[in-house]
Amino acid sequence: MVVSKVKYEQLRQQRMEENKKKLEQLHLPLLSQALQKAALSPKTSPVMKKVKPRTIRTELVPVRRSGRFTNKPAPQYKEVVFYERVQLPRSTVHPKRDLSNRVYASDEARAWAIEKAEKLESTLESGYPTLVKPMLQSHVTGGFWLGLPSHFSKRHLPKRDDTVTLVDEQGDKWRTIYLARKTGLSGGWKKFSVDHDLVDGDALVFQLIQPTVFKVHIIRENGFTEENSHEAICDS
């Protein structure tokens, strides 16, 4: 019994050695190690493909009317006017005024300038429409927007945005943009105001000598003095 057990162990050991050699020849140990490492490493999810968003096709389709409106008259449409934006060519940028030192005209000087402007207006040719416009801070500093009387604008000026030329007393010209819906001068008015050193209290007489051309007469508020005040009282 002892001998047989020894032989069995020898045979068993011999077979194990043979099997080991066969496994080494087939490189199975390396494959086993690779599988073990793969089992221990964390699994990574496959990269998902980016899904392109669906493109929705747009079409123009006729609007279906309800059967309730079949026997009724067709709707009426109102004509809508779209104004073409008027622009002026870019000009030299003027330095900004120092608004901290601006001076407000006195009531007496303002009234005197308006009275002088109205007297000048009465001497102009009656064949051309005229208007007197006293200057305020909003006209000559900051916003530089000059609103014109709506009744005058609707009667004498273009019905849509246009370019209006201002001609001073020396015959020099300035182009401005007239906004029909707002009845006033926008772009270009600032250059005219700055070039003529207009200030609060001045009074301007606008004389429409052509459909889009104003002759502009300027009455300076700084021409007011106490002597002028006494003369105005005596004249009245």
Side-chain angles (χ1 to χ4, degrees):
M1 293 292 294
V2 176
V3 175
S4 61
K5 286 183 178 181
V6 172
K7 288 182 178 181
Y8 173 77
E9 289 295 333
Q10 290 176 350
L11 292 172
R12 178 173 171 276
Q13 188 68 27
Q14 184 179 355
R15 289 176 181 174
M16 291 178 63
E17 293 293 335
E18 292 175 354
N19 292 336
K20 185 176 180 181
K21 290 180 179 180
K22 290 180 179 180
L23 292 175
E24 290 177 353
Q25 291 176 357
L26 297 174
H27 302 287
L28 292 180
L30 297 177
L31 180 61
S32 177
Q33 292 178 4
L35 292 174
Q36 289 179 358
K37 291 181 180 180
L40 295 176
S41 62
K43 295 181 179 181
T44 57
S45 59
V47 179
M48 296 182 64
K49 294 182 179 181
K50 294 183 179 181
V51 180
K52 295 182 179 181
R54 292 179 59 189
T55 304
I56 303 176
R57 184 165 52 88
T58 58
E59 292 182 356
L60 294 176
V61 296
V63 180
R64 298 180 59 185
R65 299 184 66 194
S66 173
R68 293 180 298 168
F69 302 99
T70 311
N71 300 324
K72 293 187 177 182
Q76 296 181 354
Y77 296 91
K78 182 177 68 173
E79 182 180 359
V80 180
V81 180
F82 293 92
Y83 296 94
E84 183 181 359
R85 186 177 181 183
V86 181
Q87 293 183 338
L88 296 177
R90 293 186 177 181
S91 57
T92 306
V93 179
H94 292 272
K96 293 184 178 180
R97 290 184 176 182
D98 185 5
L99 302 183
S100 61
N101 296 327
R102 61 185 176 184
V103 178
Y104 291 86
S106 64
D107 294 338
E108 294 80 3
R110 190 185 305 277
W112 176 84
I114 294 174
E115 182 180 357
K116 293 284 289 185
E118 290 175 346
K119 286 184 179 180
L120 175 60
E121 181 186 24
S122 64
T123 64
L124 299 177
E125 297 182 34
S126 59
Y128 300 106
T130 59
L131 66 93
V132 174
K133 186 69 179 179
M135 294 293 99
L136 303 175
Q137 289 293 352
S138 59
H139 301 147
V140 296
T141 59
F144 289 99
W145 162 258
L146 184 69
L148 302 176
S150 58
H151 63 86
F152 181 95
S153 301
K154 292 178 180 179
R155 185 174 181 179
H156 302 291
L157 296 179
K159 304 302 180 184
R160 60 179 60 193
D161 296 355
D162 205 341
T163 301
V164 171
T165 302
L166 305 181
V167 183
D168 64 10
E169 294 166 306
Q170 284 71 41
D172 296 328
K173 299 178 180 180
W174 281 258
R175 296 177 64 196
T176 64
I177 294 178
Y178 171 70
L179 302 181
R181 285 169 291 178
K182 297 183 177 180
T183 64
L185 302 182
S186 178
W189 165 251
K190 176 180 179 179
K191 181 171 175 56
F192 180 89
S193 175
V194 173
D195 288 349
H196 291 84
D197 294 322
L198 299 181
V199 297
D200 178 56
D202 290 345
L204 274 58
V205 181
F206 290 86
Q207 183 184 23
L208 190 65
I209 57 177
Q210 293 181 20
T212 58
V213 179
F214 273 119
K215 179 80 173 185
V216 183
H217 306 269
I218 302 174
I219 305 298
R220 304 286 182 180
E221 63 85 24
N222 58 10
F224 172 79
T225 61
E226 291 296 330
E227 294 180 0
N228 293 336
S229 177
H230 292 305
E231 290 178 2
I233 295 174
C234 294
D235 293 339
S236 61

